[in-house]
Amino acid sequence: MNIMDFNMKKLAADAGTFLSRAVQFTEEKLGQAEKTELDAHLENLLSKAECTKLWTEKIMKQTEVLLQPNPNARIEEFVYEKLDRKAPSRMNNPELLGQYMIDAGNEFGPGTAYGNALIKCGETQKRIGAADRELIQTSAINFLTPLRNFIEGDYKTITKERKLLQNKRLDLDAAKTRLKKAKVAEARAASEQEVRITQSEFDRQAEITRLLLEGISSTHAHHLRCLNDFVEAQMTYYAQCYQYMLDLQKQLGSFPSTFLSNNNQSSTTPVQSVSTPPVLASASASLPSVSNSIVASGLSELRSSSGSRKARVLYDYDAANSSELSLLADEVITVYSIPGMDSDWLMGERGNQKGKVPITYLELLN
């Protein structure tokens, strides 16, 4: 027998097997043939695997959206990953905003209050952008990659073996059908032998599939560890951002009870006090404390008494009209409150000059 004859016979055998399975499957759907049912334990394992695959895909895709909201950027990263090439490095949104703020601050002048504040805010935004980049990288390695490996690796193997099990079951049930239809003793003997062989192959494939499916429990345990890593990465990220904003708030000399005034328009709406989130409590325990509460207390005492305090000027300020007092950064002036004055302002004195001054430009001295 030459190779061509062997291949032709193999193709004919494969075609016969495929036809036999197709007939068996169709008759089962029409209710004209019996079907061997899988045992309850195996069915439960199959259901658990399907459920794991479904929710792993959803969690993985939504995590990608969370870490990279831009769909075009996600597509670009996917293409570069498939090409096994590194995606070009670009500024993320916080970094880009930070750069714009720094450029604007330099344009307006670092010596002005607004320009100086823009530069400080821009530097903080760039730090947040760097932390964001670190979160994405850590989460991709410790969380997304293991989930993707399960979908593209373990579950594909399970699907392949499950398909083989389905084919072995169809072969077994087709053999049983032929045995029922056999009338001649010789045909019955051949059919019985075929049933024994197909039953053995089905049992063997069922055991292989069962062992693979029982590994889903180990997959859950592994994904739990990855989830803990993801939560830890998020906690580190938010703690870093919280610290950066605390430092920025201190640099800007902001007060929790007021907004920074815009030109001559002041807001009388109080700002609600924001407490530290519990998840950041331990992470921020070692952060430098901010003296906002002390400043607010000092302002409250100043307004409730008829006394005065010394204050250091944080930024240059140009008076908008004759009722205000122009300020120079780092000078020390005397401030006090008068009844009925807007909460965003104090009266300031420098020698024989006096006028209203914005409190956000001042640091009260002890």
Side-chain angles (χ1 to χ4, degrees), residues 316-329:
D316 292 345
Y317 177 73
D318 295 326
N321 53 54
S322 59
S323 68
E324 298 178 6
L325 178 65
S326 294
L327 303 173
L328 294 174

Side-chain angles (χ1 to χ4, degrees), residues 55-79 81-82 93 132 135-152 230 234:
W55 286 110
T56 299
E57 280 185 329
K58 288 186 176 182
I59 291 171
M60 182 177 69
K61 289 178 180 178
Q62 193 56 41
T63 303
E64 290 173 342
V65 172
L66 172 69
L67 297 175
Q68 177 50 271
N70 187 337
N72 293 328
R74 290 201 303 275
I75 293 174
E76 181 186 57
E77 291 171 358
F78 175 79
V79 171
E81 182 181 346
K82 291 302 179 183
N93 289 332
D132 185 67
L135 170 65
I136 292 174
Q137 182 179 4
T138 303
S139 300
I141 295 172
N142 296 337
F143 187 58
L144 289 176
T145 297
L147 299 188
R148 188 176 292 109
N149 287 343
F150 167 73
I151 297 296
E152 298 178 357
F230 178 54
Q234 282 188 304

Side-chain angles (χ1 to χ4, degrees), residues 264-266 317-327 333-336 338 340-350 353-359 361-362:
N264 283 331
Q265 299 175 0
S266 59
Y317 177 73
D318 295 326
N321 53 54
S322 59
S323 68
E324 298 178 6
L325 178 65
S326 294
L327 303 173
I333 63 173
T334 300
V335 294
Y336 55 91
I338 59 177
M341 175 170 281
D342 191 289
S343 61
D344 289 343
W345 298 79
L346 290 172
M347 286 300 294
E349 284 189 2
R350 183 201 305 111
Q353 296 177 319
K354 67 178 180 179
K356 293 194 303 180
V357 292
I359 62 174
Y361 281 63
L362 304 173

Side-chain angles (χ1 to χ4, degrees), residues 2 83 99-101 137 145 173 222 243 346:
N2 57 37
L83 295 175
Q99 190 59 54
Y100 286 163
M101 286 182 167
Q137 182 179 4
T145 297
D173 289 336
H222 178 51
Q243 179 178 356
L346 290 172

Side-chain angles (χ1 to χ4, degrees), residues 188-233:
R188 286 189 62 83
S191 296
E192 287 174 351
Q193 177 66 15
E194 183 184 15
V195 168
R196 283 193 294 271
I197 293 173
T198 53
Q199 180 71 60
S200 175
E201 291 178 347
F202 170 75
D203 292 341
R204 178 176 177 276
Q205 186 58 41
E207 181 64 14
I208 293 173
T209 306
R210 182 185 64 79
L211 291 173
L212 282 173
L213 291 171
E214 287 177 345
I216 291 293
S217 296
S218 298
T219 298
H220 284 193
H222 178 51
H223 287 182
L224 174 58
R225 292 192 295 272
C226 296
L227 181 61
N228 286 330
D229 290 340
F230 178 54
V231 170
E232 185 175 345

Side-chain angles (χ1 to χ4, degrees), residues 167-199:
N167 289 336
K168 296 300 182 183
R169 185 200 57 80
L170 289 171
D171 292 342
L172 172 61
D173 289 336
K176 289 179 178 179
T177 300
R178 285 190 289 272
L179 176 60
K180 287 183 178 179
K181 294 179 179 179
K183 303 297 183 182
V184 182
E186 184 177 342
R188 286 189 62 83
S191 296
E192 287 174 351
Q193 177 66 15
E194 183 184 15
V195 168
R196 283 193 294 271
I197 293 173
T198 53
Q199 180 71 60

